Amino acid sequence: MKTRFKDEVLWHLPLLAAVFFQLWPLIFMASTSLKDLDQIFISTLNPLPLPPTLDNYRAIIGNFPILTYVFNTFVIAFFVTLLKIGTSILAAFAFVYYDFKGKEQIFNGMLLTFFIPITVVLMPNYLFLSKLDLLNTSIGVILPQMADGMGIFLMRQTIRSIPKALLEAAILEGAGAITVLRRVVLPLIRPTAIAMTIFFFINSWNEYFWPLLVLQDKENYTLPLALQMFISAEGGSEWGIAMAVAMLTSLPPLLLYLLCQKYILSTFMQSGVKG
């Protein structure tokens, strides 16, 4: 018994150390956002702000148009998520339940997009939006992100796990393709759809490089761009305020993940059920 307990402790110590190193940046960010400037430089690594202060958050609300940036970020993340989840479900349904010429080739071509670096498509997308006069607009950020290869792949894997007898029964009852999708498929893939929705939303919320390339006016900035702009403007000296902005930026996706992590984990586990 003692040997078993010792073995479990030895196994858990590296895991606890790994968890600590993963969580330390979040702890440092939250702690620093509650410290004044003197505390930050005197006790930089101390995770306990003594005493804690909300002055950094008050400075943001009073001098920083945080609500505008939150609204811009939410609008972009909402529509990107809506379009991606819609196209993922429709494309996956078509790949599974329709037979058409070149289906496998099209699907394999879609899988190849996983291996294309984002930097390769930045310039074509930028030139395309320039021709459409959509630069410096939210639509310009949203339009190139209407579909996602990973989302189509994961939704396809989930839909393939549905017994075809259910669909055949619905077809025998005279249900059309839209009815089958709405009444049979969607209720069964709801956990995966929720997980992918959260996944898409978090990715879009945290996106930095593409909005940086498209958006030019500060009033159109998203939160990651506003955070970088603020840090650059302050010369990196106002650590407390910068960490408070970072905390507000990361809090919504962090809470979404904590609330829905079981859906996200189960989705990636189910992706290997059928190849």
Side-chain angles (χ1 to χ4, degrees):
M1 181 66 71
K2 291 183 178 180
T3 304
R4 183 179 177 183
F5 176 76
K6 186 182 295 184
D7 291 339
E8 290 182 354
V9 170
L10 292 177
W11 274 107
H12 281 82
L13 284 177
L15 295 176
L16 290 173
V19 169
F20 173 77
F21 283 112
Q22 290 290 325
L23 293 179
W24 173 250
L26 295 176
I27 297 172
F28 178 82
M29 178 176 63
S31 172
T32 305
S33 70
L34 296 173
K35 295 179 179 179
D36 57 33
L37 202 56
D38 291 337
Q39 285 190 73
I40 292 173
F41 287 105
I42 294 174
S43 56
T44 303
L45 298 180
N46 184 2
L48 298 177
L50 298 173
T53 178
L54 295 177
D55 290 344
N56 296 320
Y57 291 95
R58 295 191 187 99
I60 293 172
I61 296 174
N63 305 319
F64 198 57
I66 190 71
L67 295 180
T68 300
Y69 299 135
V70 169
F71 177 78
N72 294 341
T73 310
F74 178 81
V75 168
I76 292 174
F78 174 81
F79 283 104
V80 167
T81 301
L82 186 66
L83 290 170
K84 280 186 176 182
I85 197 67
T87 55
S88 296
I89 291 174
L90 293 175
F93 182 75
F95 278 126
V96 173
Y97 293 107
Y98 286 95
D99 291 322
F100 52 89
K101 186 177 180 180
K103 181 176 77 171
E104 292 301 322
Q105 289 77 10
I106 294 174
F107 181 74
N108 291 332
M110 182 272 300
L111 290 180
L112 289 176
T113 61
F114 295 174
F115 306 99
I116 299 177
I118 187 64
T119 52
V120 173
V121 297
L122 284 178
M123 188 55 66
N125 284 335
Y126 184 86
L127 294 175
F128 177 68
L129 293 176
S130 178
K131 293 293 184 181
L132 296 177
D133 197 24
L134 291 177
L135 294 178
N136 198 32
T137 64
S138 297
I139 297 177
V141 179
I142 296 169
L143 189 61
Q145 305 183 72
M146 291 179 61
D148 185 272
M150 179 62 74
I152 295 173
F153 171 75
L154 292 176
M155 294 305 304
R156 173 181 176 269
Q157 297 299 93
T158 302
I159 295 176
R160 290 187 69 179
S161 67
I162 299 175
K164 284 196 173 183
L166 293 176
L167 299 161
E168 292 171 354
I171 293 172
L172 289 175
E173 292 293 330
I178 300 299
T179 302
V180 171
L181 177 63
R182 184 165 57 90
R183 296 289 182 87
V184 180
V185 174
L186 287 181
L188 294 175
I189 66 171
R190 185 174 299 163
T192 302
I194 293 173
M196 294 310 302
T197 298
I198 301 303
F199 185 74
F200 290 148
F201 186 88
I202 292 174
N203 281 351
S204 180
W205 183 278
N206 293 330
E207 190 173 20
Y208 173 77
F209 196 73
W210 177 243
L212 175 65
L213 194 62
V214 175
L215 301 176
Q216 300 166 2
D217 294 338
K218 293 180 180 180
E219 58 268 19
N220 295 329
Y221 275 9
T222 59
L223 276 171
L225 298 185
L227 174 60
Q228 181 59 44
M229 176 192 67
F230 175 81
I231 294 175
S232 299
E234 296 295 330
S237 60
E238 293 290 344
W239 285 19
I241 297 178
M243 290 299 104
V245 177
M247 192 68 190
L248 293 176
T249 302
S250 60
L251 194 58
L254 181 62
L255 291 176
L256 280 175
Y257 176 78
L258 292 176
L259 291 173
C260 305
Q261 60 177 321
K262 64 177 181 179
Y263 297 112
I264 297 175
L265 296 176
S266 65
T267 296
F268 284 100
M269 291 176 64
Q270 291 174 4
S271 65
V273 172
K274 289 192 178 183

